[in-house]
Amino acid sequence: MRIKSAEVNVTSPGRNFVTLRITTEDGVTGLGDATLNGRELAVRAYLDDHVVPLLLGEDAARIEDTWQYLYRGAYWRRGPVTMAAIAAVDTALWDIKAQYAGMPLYQLLGGACRTGALAYGHASGRDVPELLDSVRAHLALGYRAIRIQTGIPGLDSVYGVAASSPGGGERYDYEPARRVTGGGRLRPTVEIWDTRAYMRHVPAVFEAVRSEFGPELPLLHDAHHRMTPIQAARLSRDLEPYDLFWLEDATPAEDQEALRLIRHHTTTPLAIGEVFNSVHDYTTLLSGRLIDYVRSAVTHTGGVTAMKKLLDLAAVYGIRSGMHGPTDISPVGMAAALHLDLAVHNFGIQEYMRHSPQTLDVFRTSYRFEDGLLHPSDTPGLGVDLDTEAAAHFPYQQAYLPVNRLSDGTVHDW
Ligand code: KDG
Ligand code: MG
């Protein structure tokens, strides 16, 4: 089970993806997602220049030891680039081991705790009628839990809202990293933000959705780190009548203590962590029971090995998983998440934005979405293939996530 080769593939079938492919001497191939939206080439360089040379000739079976070697051995710890690179190696090695075992990965992780993973989709609209159409379309697609985002009166564009959505259906290219040129240079787009306008608008949006769809449907909302702690406490309390499944990223995530203040004021469940990359980002949040759901992804948090340990620690405090699953998690990262979703006892929900048909021509998946639940399939390993010939038709496109500013020009969290 020695590692014979490891290559980094960068492709852009609709959006950028970075994938590590490791092959053993006897020809078994494993994949790992290393996509870091807007900073893709930094992870590619980290892997190509500093990690791949260390892997060649090593024993692919030694997953935990390889993780420790790459994490502790580098001396410099954590950070999104390092942890995405380690995640890709770790996931590829789990894929290989499960294929050697002839089992789907979830079997090696302890076996299934459930028949499928409850998934939530992203409904959005520039205004309430458009949002209600989008919710209807998501229900028709089979979703049993739905995230709600809308435009805000007075603001031109808002995170998480598709520009237009004929018939309210799902749009694959909502919130991509974009290409905008200014003064001959590629620049991120700039969105203008007003927190008070947002806080005035959101409760009325939930009122409209609840009165149209009733009390049963689990509803989620992502505030994308834009409020102060006291603003977040106020909005969470204002939303209590609408019984949210969760309010996500209420405040900038790195300030763990901020969640304590919100918690003192509200019973709205809280989720945070998509920008975290280590269990150490969560220690106050978990031990203080300041959140209800852990939002990290396998892709950004050091792989299957690290994510399993993080979720096991969360379980001690009765906190559940809600893994990040937008389209910048590649199908490889999504499959890895689904195997964990099935295997951990403290599963909560899985975010699931479908990838575009173009993306799925490059990444051949076997996971399926049925009756609102995702299943990773029983194909040995992760169950995803990368078609490198198809990938070669889609070269990397430099693109950035948008930047948020207040009306006076001040850069704001997003
Ligand atoms: O790359 C950034 C996106 O992954 C993020 O903005 C999506 O907030 C997000 C979510 O909850 O899916
Ligand atoms: Mg989010």
Side-chain angles (χ1 to χ4, degrees):
M1 241 203 198
R2 298 263 153 209
I3 297 174
K4 183 174 163 214
S5 62
E7 307 97 37
V8 184
N9 180 283
V10 179
T11 181
S12 195
R15 67 180 313 148
N16 292 321
F17 295 108
V18 182
T19 311
L20 178 68
R21 190 165 73 155
I22 297 180
T23 306
T24 63
E25 280 170 352
D26 32 10
V28 176
T29 291
L31 298 177
D33 180 20
T35 308
L36 189 60
N37 201 6
R39 296 291 185 270
E40 296 86 356
L41 300 188
V43 192
R44 178 174 75 179
Y46 191 101
L47 282 166
D48 270 340
D49 298 342
H50 303 294
V51 174
V52 166
L54 305 179
L55 297 177
L56 303 181
E58 296 300 321
D59 184 355
R62 299 184 62 181
I63 301 177
E64 176 72 27
D65 184 65
T66 304
W67 196 98
Q68 301 297 343
Y69 181 77
L70 293 175
Y71 181 80
R72 292 177 202 283
Y75 185 64
W76 310 107
R77 295 177 187 207
R78 304 162 63 180
V81 175
T82 299
M83 299 309 282
I86 294 177
V89 175
D90 182 80
T91 306
L93 295 184
W94 276 110
D95 189 12
I96 288 171
K97 185 169 286 232
Q99 289 176 64
Y100 270 96
M103 291 178 183
L105 175 57
Y106 72 82
Q107 293 292 9
L108 294 196
L109 300 175
C113 282
R114 55 194 56 78
T115 53
L118 176 68
Y120 75 88
H122 289 198
S124 74
R126 285 166 300 178
D127 52 26
V128 169
E130 207 176 89
L131 171 67
L132 297 181
D133 282 348
S134 177
V135 174
R136 274 181 216 108
H138 280 77
L139 290 172
L141 285 167
Y143 283 103
R144 292 193 211 158
I146 299 187
R147 190 185 87 161
I148 301 296
Q149 309 291 139
T150 52
I152 316 272
L155 300 185
D156 283 346
S157 64
V158 176
Y159 155 80
V161 179
S164 71
S165 179
E170 200 170 22
R171 276 187 47 123
Y172 299 110
D173 60 349
Y174 123 81
E175 201 231 63
R178 295 188 192 90
R179 297 165 64 75
V180 178
T181 358
R185 282 186 295 156
L186 190 68
R187 299 286 204 155
T189 51
V190 176
E191 291 183 348
I192 303 297
W193 178 248
D194 178 345
T195 308
R196 293 185 64 229
Y198 162 75
M199 290 176 62
R200 282 193 303 273
H201 188 57
V202 173
V205 171
F206 275 87
E207 173 68 39
V209 174
R210 277 284 175 233
S211 55
E212 182 73 16
F213 298 100
E216 279 298 325
L217 181 64
L219 297 177
L220 302 87
H221 180 64
D222 189 349
H224 227 254
H225 310 113
R226 291 175 159 175
M227 290 178 282
T228 64
I230 201 70
Q231 288 171 331
R234 160 91 180 275
L235 183 69
S236 314
R237 217 178 45 191
D238 289 351
L239 292 176
E240 279 174 16
Y242 309 110
D243 187 24
L244 268 61
F245 186 97
W246 78 35
L247 175 66
E248 174 188 349
D249 289 347
T251 47
E254 63 270 40
D255 180 2
Q256 296 185 47
E257 282 297 331
L259 277 291
R260 197 183 301 282
L261 188 142
I262 305 171
R263 204 59 151 177
H264 278 155
H265 290 278
T266 185
T267 56
T268 291
L270 301 171
I272 209 158
E274 69 182 38
V275 297
F276 289 167
N277 48 69
S278 161
V279 65
H280 297 285
D281 294 320
Y282 282 100
T283 46
T284 303
L285 294 172
L286 297 182
S287 63
R289 299 173 197 266
L290 304 183
I291 55 171
D292 300 279
Y293 297 93
V294 162
R295 285 285 287 141
S296 285
V298 170
T299 304
H300 298 135
T301 316
V304 173
T305 297
M307 196 67 210
K308 172 84 165 66
K309 290 179 186 179
L310 167 57
L311 292 179
D312 287 345
L313 179 61
V316 172
Y317 299 100
I319 295 168
R320 294 193 286 157
S321 71
M323 272 189 259
H324 196 208
T327 50
D328 49 292
I329 299 293
S330 86
V332 175
M334 176 58 69
L338 296 183
H339 286 279
L340 263 176
D341 286 338
L342 222 57
V344 296
H345 178 252
N346 57 328
F347 169 76
I349 200 165
Q350 174 64 51
E351 182 180 17
Y352 177 48
M353 264 182 99
R354 290 151 199 262
H355 289 102
S356 68
Q358 210 176 32
T359 300
L360 295 174
D361 280 345
V362 169
F363 294 92
R364 307 274 162 76
T365 58
S366 57
Y367 53 80
R368 39 178 219 281
F369 177 62
E370 273 168 20
D371 298 329
L373 305 184
L374 283 159
H375 195 284
S377 97
D378 282 331
T379 307
L382 283 177
V384 182
D385 281 331
L386 172 66
D387 181 336
T388 48
E389 277 181 29
H393 291 120
F394 302 103
Y396 168 73
Q397 304 265 310
Q398 191 176 8
Y400 290 110
L401 285 161
V403 167
N404 209 25
R405 288 188 187 271
L406 304 181
S407 58
D408 69 358
T410 308
V411 172
H412 192 66
D413 292 292
W414 90 281

